[in-house]
């Protein structure tokens, strides 16, 4: 099993090359309706993929914060 806890960080942009699938309604009459649950949150499709096919990129906020830290460190007199 591959753990994503150490490899994915807050503020990463994930790129996945996969086709979005429709969320299917329940097959049984009294089964939890997973299709309507995400639909109420504006989600109408899902993507199924494996971890190696996910590409991660650093987000703008992280790059911006790194830049601010670099500029802050370079402007401090020694």
């Amino acid at each position: 099993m591959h753990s994503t806890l150490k490899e994915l960080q807050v503020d990463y942009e994930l790129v996945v090359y996969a086709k979005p699938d429709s969320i299917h309604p329940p097959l049984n009459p009294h089964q939890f309706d997973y299709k309507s649950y995400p639909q109420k949150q504006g989600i109408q499709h899902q993507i199924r993929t494996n971890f190696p096919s996910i590409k991660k990129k650093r987000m703008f906020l992280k790059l911006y914060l790194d830049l601010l830290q670099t500029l802050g460190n370079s402007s401090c007199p020694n």
Side-chain angles (χ1 to χ4, degrees):
M1 185 168 150
H2 191 73
S3 174
T4 61
L5 294 178
K6 294 181 182 175
E7 297 189 37
L8 299 179
Q9 299 292 323
V10 172
D11 212 30
Y12 272 159
E13 177 180 349
L14 303 178
V15 178
V16 179
Y17 296 99
K19 181 182 172 188
D21 293 324
S22 296
I23 301 173
H24 301 290
L27 300 175
N28 300 317
H30 299 291
Q31 186 178 359
F32 175 71
D33 188 357
Y34 181 71
K35 181 176 182 170
S36 70
Y37 175 73
Q39 211 167 33
K40 292 175 186 174
Q41 299 173 31
I43 300 169
Q44 298 172 359
H45 294 85
Q46 62 186 357
I47 294 175
R48 296 181 186 266
T49 187
N50 56 7
F51 187 77
S53 69
I54 299 173
K55 306 300 178 206
K56 56 188 175 182
K57 295 171 26 177
R58 290 179 80 182
M59 288 291 291
F60 175 76
L61 179 60
K62 175 69 174 150
L63 295 172
Y64 180 71
L65 293 175
D66 289 347
L67 177 62
L68 285 179
Q69 183 177 8
T70 303
L71 291 174
N73 289 341
S74 65
S75 64
C76 294
N78 289 335

